[in-house]
Amino acid sequence: MSNIVKDIRDALVEQIQTELPSYAQSPFIWDFASNNDKKSKNIFAVRPQSGSSVSGTNKTITLDQDFEVYLSTKYINKGDKDSALDEAIMGLFEDHEKLEKLLFRRNINIARVLVVESVALSAPEIDNENHNVAIIATYTIKYRNETA
């Protein structure tokens, strides 16, 4: 029996690496505050979140589960303007849009994934001390588990 959650996460990671090659996978998947990698300007992480079963299905368990896609980039403002921060934020929204189009079209290329149902974007998370900004997209993915 395969682990469908791991399969979905791995497929998301692979598609991000393909679609956004300037991003490196974060060494810290669960502790975003530790993402102060000086080498990588752009980093990403994929984290499975909560899920719940869908009623009205027989013989298989169908779930709606959330997966977070964390994209982060560095910025350095000049003087008393925040134009570099603004540009970084707009760039993150643009990169998330690329992923949204890809994921809604392809459904992650796993047979048991039925549909990418929705996406919600967080407000930008700004860390002025480390010159880092992040936006998290939460995708709700409907999939079938093994036969119950």
Side-chain angles (χ1 to χ4, degrees), residues 14-28:
E14 184 179 312
Q15 290 188 13
I16 292 167
Q17 289 171 329
T18 300
E19 189 68 22
L20 302 174
S22 67
Y23 283 80
Q25 189 168 5
S26 171
F28 298 97

Side-chain angles (χ1 to χ4, degrees), residues 14 18 23 26 28 34 36 44 61 72 79-80 84 86 104 109-111 113 116 145-146:
E14 184 179 312
T18 300
Y23 283 80
S26 171
F28 298 97
S34 297
N36 292 321
F44 77 91
I61 300 167
S72 175
D80 60 353
D86 183 62
F104 277 98
N109 293 328
I110 297 175
V113 171
V116 177
N145 217 328
E146 298 292 332

Side-chain angles (χ1 to χ4, degrees), residues 38-57:
K38 306 284 188 257
K39 298 174 198 158
S40 300
K41 179 183 177 194
N42 299 324
I43 57 171
F44 77 91
V46 178
R47 302 187 326 173
Q49 297 295 302
S50 63
S52 59
S53 63
V54 176
S55 63
T57 57

